[in-house]
Each structure stands twice: as structure tokens, then as C-alpha cells.
Amino acid sequence: MPGTDHVLQADVPGGVPAARHLAGDRPSLEDQPMEKVNQATPFWRGFGPTAVEIWQYRELLGQLVRKELKVKYKDSLLGFFWTLLRPLLYLLVYSVAIGVFLGSGRVIPQFGIYLFTGLLAWTLFTDIVGGCTGSIVGNAGLVKKVYFPRELFPLAVVGAGVVNFLLQAVILIAAYLFTWTWPSPSNLLLVPLALTALVLFATGLGLLLAAGNVFLRDITYLVEVGLLLWFWMTPIVYDWTKVQTTLTEDNSLTALFHLYLANPMANIVLAFQRALWPGGMTEKGQAFYYDGNLYLRLGVLIVVGMAFVWFAQRIFARSQGNFAQEL
């Protein structure tokens, strides 16, 4: 059975967040009775009350999101510009290495935009997963001192990642203006669907990794290796038709190709490319345009993602009672 943290309960009666106590809205903590928090709850119940509690602490969540955004580039000369420079550097390196040296730029129309649409989705995914993994360990001081929902730490990483995603999308808009080519509006609905699926899947995975990293610090390094392997299993710097040709036509491994397409990030990246890559809508680039039913695929991913977030939160909730002791 998970342990239970015994800390001073800093909640104001009626569910007002503990942060308001610091402003002097109630007597000092020394005058408050000891109460049990993080008590173990049945696995099948507890998600709803936790969601309500997180909503009650929404102001604190907003502060944590701002902290994530500020601390990441604290004392750096360029500050938030690093958010734009990193994907631009990746774009430059892959454009030269893959597009020029390996010749993909001569085959895939508007290769730079094609590449950046995939990198845009992948950067958000790695920011959430990588940031969530160390979110509890990195805030050990707060975890051991005061009570509030521990889910706020990984959720703050998710919020900061989405803000960075929106900032990086400006580069894509600038590319459209520079090339004066625009994606077809008929597929733009795929963007919010793919973004929803990505955030749900990454949040669920982040909650599991955040909890696991408290008990096994090697998870941080395993995530780095796993994300690198995952990147090359996703059609970002190459087009998906090469995988289809190699597996189905050259080697008759159709089942393996379907397994490749079961990769959630492959579907999300293909959706971003289909919606945001103008080259995929031209007659020349039609071969690189995934024409499968991405709306159905993303719908399934969203449903599965919601179930995954629920499952991950329940595992997180069953583990958090021992966070203070392990940290």
C-alpha cells in the first residue's frame, strides 16, 4: 500500500488554495491541526476529486507555468529567443544533412517546411515528456514542505511546452510568407485534433515517468535514449513512403508496416504534415501525402489518450504518498 505524507494541511476551508495562506488570510500553520494528506484511494476512484482539486489550485498552476518559462532561460542573454533558435538549428542541420547531402530536398517538395512541421510536433512532445520526467525530483523542496496536488508539477511543464509550441509556430508562418505558399484550409482541422492527441498522450506518459523517476533515477537517461530511438521511428526527416516501399513492396512485411503506423507520434506528425505542408497538396508532392483516414486515427488516439491520462494519474496518485520519503 502506498505511504501517506503527514504534513500540515495548508488548505483554507472550502478548498481555497494553500498559497493564499502566505498572504496572511488565515492564522499561522503552527495553530492548525495535523491532518493526513495524499491518503491512498481506491484505484478506480479518485480521478474526479483530483481534477476538482487541481482546478481549485489553478492560480498556483499558472504561477508554476510562468516559473517553468522563466527559469529555463534565467540569466541567459537571449532568453526566450532560445525557444526559436533551437528548432531553427535542428532545421538547418537536418536540411543540410538530409536534404542536401542525402538528396531528400531534391525529391520532397518544399523540404524545409516539410521538415519543420514534423519538428514542431516532435519538439512539443520531447519538451513535455523530458520535462515531466524530472518535474517531481526537481521540485523536491516544495514536495517535502507544503501540500498541494503533485500533479501540478508535470502539468506546469505541459503548459510551458504548449506556450513554446505557439511561439515556434511563428517560424512556420514566416516560412509561408517567405515562400508565399499556403497549406490547404480543407485539412486545418487536423491541427487541433493532432495537438489534442499529442498533449494527452505526452501528459499520460509524463505522469508515469515523473512518478517512476522518483524511485528510479535511471529513468531520466532511459528517456533520453528512448526519445532518440523514437525520433527515427517517426517520419520527420524522411517520408513515410520509403517505409511503405521497404516493408510492403520490397520485403512483404505488411504487418510490420501497420505496426509502424500504430506509433502515436507517427500519426500525429503525418497529420501535421498533411495540414501544414503545402508541398503535400501539389501534384508533384502527392506521393508524400498520407491519404489515409487521419481523422479516424486521431479520434481513436484522443479516446485512448484520455483513458491513458486517467490510468497514468491513478498510478501517480498511488505513488505520490511516498514521494517525500524517497526525495
Side-chain angles (χ1 to χ4, degrees):
M1 290 294 289
T4 300
D5 291 342
H6 294 265
V7 302
L8 286 172
Q9 175 59 279
D11 286 64
V12 175
V16 179
R20 295 188 179 178
H21 158 72
L22 301 178
D25 291 346
R26 62 174 301 180
S28 63
L29 285 176
E30 289 79 0
D31 298 330
Q32 304 303 311
M34 296 289 290
E35 295 182 22
K36 290 183 178 181
V37 296
N38 288 340
Q39 297 186 75
T41 58
F43 184 83
W44 300 103
R45 297 196 303 272
F47 182 87
T50 300
V52 171
E53 191 176 22
I54 290 173
W55 174 253
Q56 293 172 344
Y57 282 83
R58 60 190 180 277
E59 294 181 9
L60 179 58
L61 177 59
Q63 293 292 336
L64 290 174
V65 170
R66 284 189 281 273
K67 180 186 78 72
E68 288 289 334
L69 292 170
K70 291 179 180 179
V71 170
K72 188 173 184 180
Y73 302 115
K74 183 181 179 181
D75 298 329
S76 66
L77 183 63
L78 297 179
F80 282 110
F81 283 104
W82 285 112
T83 300
L84 305 179
L85 289 177
R86 186 179 63 166
L88 281 175
L89 180 61
Y90 287 156
L91 178 62
L92 176 62
V93 170
Y94 289 127
S95 294
V96 173
I98 308 296
V100 178
F101 295 157
L102 298 182
S104 294
R106 295 189 296 269
V107 179
I108 302 177
Q110 300 184 35
F111 181 70
I113 297 180
Y114 170 86
L115 184 59
F116 192 77
T117 54
L119 286 175
L120 190 63
W122 184 258
T123 301
L124 175 59
F125 180 68
T126 55
D127 282 350
I128 293 176
V129 173
C132 285
T133 301
S135 61
I136 303 297
V137 174
N139 291 281
L142 285 175
V143 171
K144 292 186 290 185
K145 289 180 180 178
V146 64
Y147 171 77
F148 51 81
R150 305 312 188 207
E151 289 87 351
L152 293 185
F153 292 120
L155 289 179
V157 173
V158 174
V162 171
V163 172
N164 288 330
F165 170 86
L166 296 176
L167 292 174
Q168 292 166 6
V170 174
I171 299 176
L172 190 59
I173 297 174
Y176 294 148
L177 292 172
F178 180 77
T179 60
W180 205 249
T181 55
W182 305 89
S184 171
S186 61
N187 288 312
L188 289 181
L189 182 59
L190 286 171
V191 176
L193 292 176
L195 184 59
T196 301
L198 190 159
V199 171
L200 285 172
F201 181 66
T203 301
L205 188 58
L207 285 170
L208 290 177
L209 293 172
N213 193 48
V214 174
F215 304 98
L216 182 64
R217 306 299 166 86
D218 298 277
I219 288 180
T220 299
Y221 308 103
L222 291 174
V223 167
E224 293 178 2
V225 175
L227 287 175
L228 179 61
L229 176 62
W230 204 335
F231 174 82
W232 290 104
M233 292 300 295
T234 305
I236 298 174
V237 299
Y238 58 87
D239 62 271
W240 69 279
T241 59
K242 294 184 183 299
V243 181
Q244 183 186 42
T245 301
T246 302
L247 295 180
T248 63
E249 297 179 13
D250 296 346
N251 297 292
S252 300
L253 298 173
T254 304
L256 190 58
F257 175 65
H258 289 307
L259 180 62
Y260 172 83
L261 287 182
N263 172 9
M265 283 307 298
N267 290 273
I268 291 167
V269 167
L270 288 172
F272 269 81
Q273 291 169 351
R274 180 168 168 177
L276 300 175
W277 173 46
M281 298 300 295
T282 65
E283 182 179 353
K284 181 180 179 181
Q286 195 66 32
F288 306 107
Y289 174 79
Y290 182 74
D291 56 357
N293 193 343
L294 283 172
Y295 289 95
L296 177 61
R297 286 178 171 271
L298 291 177
V300 172
L301 277 179
I302 289 173
V303 173
V304 173
M306 289 189 292
F308 185 42
V309 169
W310 173 86
F311 173 79
Q313 191 280 325
R314 300 317 300 147
I315 297 296
F316 186 95
R318 299 286 287 179
S319 304
Q320 66 177 333
N322 291 321
F323 284 175
Q325 292 93 322
E326 292 294 329
L327 294 172

